Amino acid sequence: MVIRWQGVAIVGSVVAATVIPAGPASAWVDSRCGLWTATASYRHASGLSSVYITANVDAKGLWNSNSDVNFVPAASGQTEKVYMTAYNVWSADYDGLWTADDCNANGHSIGTVNVMLNRVYTDSYSSSGKKQVMVHELGHAIGLGHTGSASCSGQPIMYGSSDRYFTCGHIAPQTDDINGANALV
């Protein structure tokens, strides 16, 4: 089954979703399949260019240093929980997306979560621009949904538009994002 939510495809079956209150955060959990775990292994796609690897490493580092989430490299022979890549998707109107292979009855990912940057847009972004898209998409992988407003004051990285960066200059998880992530793990 494929579920489409704001341009994002989720592959798998979702029987039920668990909503966990995020305390003081409004970066809400939705019915999408998230990791909902404090430690998650990751792997980069083979052949991924160094500029995208740097953006991915920096993005996971921002979550690691600012929240209770810990992304760690997958060990040799281990199946990763997060697979980071970049593709050209000409027909899409988004600069990043994530998909989950499969979800359990609680809405937790039981497979690999794929996090992708759309090179059609991001090839022209600065390194910070690429990084903020990956930080945002990793937030979805954690289990956070879109939230916030167009006002730059207090706008979370989980705001649904890249104006979070191009207008407001946000690259890292903000307080709301961190509170939401910590509530999930």
Side-chain angles (χ1 to χ4, degrees):
M1 169 172 56
V2 175
I3 301 170
R4 296 217 177 265
W5 185 297
Q6 296 177 343
V8 177
I10 301 162
V11 180
S13 58
V14 178
V15 176
T18 302
V19 176
I20 300 173
S26 63
W28 45 273
V29 179
D30 58 26
S31 62
R32 294 181 283 185
C33 185
L35 296 169
W36 297 7
T37 182
T39 301
S41 60
Y42 71 90
R43 186 176 322 281
H44 304 287
S46 62
L48 194 60
S49 72
S50 62
V51 295
Y52 282 98
I53 290 174
T54 299
N56 295 349
V57 168
D58 290 352
K60 65 96 184 154
L62 287 170
W63 280 109
N64 288 1
S65 63
N66 289 298
S67 72
D68 294 339
V69 175
N70 187 28
F71 291 103
V72 298
S76 179
Q78 175 189 21
T79 300
E80 68 280 347
K81 290 299 290 176
V82 178
Y83 185 72
M84 300 175 175
T85 191
Y87 290 108
N88 287 317
V89 185
W90 294 100
S91 61
D93 63 351
Y94 51 79
D95 54 8
L97 71 92
W98 72 277
T99 62
D101 290 339
D102 206 358
C103 298
N104 66 18
N106 294 321
H108 298 179
S109 172
I110 57 176
T112 299
V113 174
N114 300 292
V115 181
M116 181 194 85
L117 297 183
N118 186 355
R119 294 186 56 193
V120 169
Y121 297 100
T122 59
D123 275 356
S124 66
Y125 290 7
S126 67
S127 59
S128 294
K130 289 175 180 68
K131 180 171 36 178
Q132 64 85 24
V133 176
M134 185 55 73
V135 170
H136 177 88
E137 297 307 328
L138 286 173
H140 285 312
I142 293 165
L144 299 175
H146 289 149
T147 189
S149 68
S151 168
C152 292
S153 176
Q155 182 187 77
I157 201 70
M158 295 312 299
Y159 182 62
S161 163
S162 283
D163 285 350
R164 64 186 171 261
Y165 172 71
F166 291 107
T167 300
C168 302
H170 296 157
I171 298 169
Q174 304 296 300
T175 301
D176 187 55
D177 306 302
I178 295 163
N179 290 342
N182 291 346
L184 293 175
V185 300

